[in-house]
Amino acid sequence: CSASLIKRGVIVTAAHCVARYGARRFYTNFQFVPAKYNALAPYGTWTGAAVAVMTAYFNGTDVCAAGAVGVVCRNDVAVIRLTPQSGRFPGTSTGWLGYGWNGFGFTPNNLALINQLGYPVSHDSGNIMQRTDSQGFVSSSLAGNTVWGGRQTGGSSGGPEVVNLG
C-alpha cells in the first residue's frame, strides 16, 4: 500500500492496508519509505509505533458498497504514528501534505480535480511513485466515496488524493 505524511511523524493510509474488515485485529510490521524510488530510500525507512482505524471498520459495521472497483467502505482510512529515529520524524526534512475532510476542496456539485499519488504494482512493480490526474465526484451509491478515473491499481491504496493541486 501507499501512504502520505499528514504531519510530522503521522501518516494516513487505507484501513484495508492495516486490518482486514471486521476481523478486529491489525496486521504488523508497518514501514513508511518517503520518496521511495526503486531501491533508493532518500529519507530512510520508518516503522509504525501505533495504528488507529475507525471502530466501524475494525468491527465490521461500517457502511460499505460493492461497485466496479470492488467493495468500498465509508471509513476505509487508517492513521499510523511513526517511531522517531534519533528524536526526529519524517516531515522534518520532507514536509507533509496536511489533510482535509467533509468535502474540502469540492464544488457545491461535489466535483474536484483529484491528483492521486501512489505505488501501483502494475507500473514499475510498485517501485516508482506514479501520479494520476482526473476529475472526481462523490458517489452516494458507493458509500459516499470519491470516484475518479485513473490507472492506480493494487499497491496505490492509501496514497494521497490531493485535491485541486493546480
Side-chain angles (χ1 to χ4, degrees):
C1 285
S2 300
S4 59
L5 207 53
I6 58 170
K7 65 184 269 186
R8 193 175 284 118
V10 179
I11 60 173
V12 66
T13 189
H16 71 262
C17 296
V18 303
R20 190 168 144 223
Y21 177 75
R24 298 177 186 251
R25 66 184 180 104
F26 291 106
Y27 305 136
T28 58
N29 302 320
F30 303 112
Q31 292 185 333
F32 179 65
V33 185
K36 178 181 184 244
Y37 187 87
N38 283 320
L40 300 176
Y43 298 102
T45 298
W46 301 81
T47 58
V51 61
V53 298
M54 298 294 285
T55 301
Y57 188 90
F58 197 65
N59 68 18
T61 60
D62 199 4
V63 175
C64 301
V69 296
V71 176
V72 293
C73 297
R74 182 173 289 155
N75 293 298
D76 188 3
V77 63
V79 176
I80 301 174
R81 183 174 44 85
L82 300 171
T83 302
Q85 297 176 8
S86 302
R88 296 174 56 112
F89 288 101
T92 302
S93 300
T94 63
W96 58 87
L97 290 173
Y99 55 92
W101 67 92
N102 209 20
F104 175 81
F106 282 74
T107 69
N109 294 330
N110 286 324
L111 298 173
L113 175 63
I114 304 293
N115 312 99
Q116 185 184 18
L117 305 173
Y119 292 85
V121 295
S122 61
H123 294 74
D124 305 305
S125 300
N127 289 309
I128 299 174
M129 183 168 47
Q130 304 293 322
R131 174 179 161 181
T132 301
D133 301 335
S134 178
Q135 180 172 303
F137 67 93
V138 177
S139 172
S140 58
S141 66
L142 289 176
N145 281 280
T146 303
V147 177
W148 66 96
R151 294 187 42 98
Q152 298 278 1
T153 60
S156 63
S157 290
E161 299 165 11
V162 183
V163 180
N164 299 319
L165 182 61

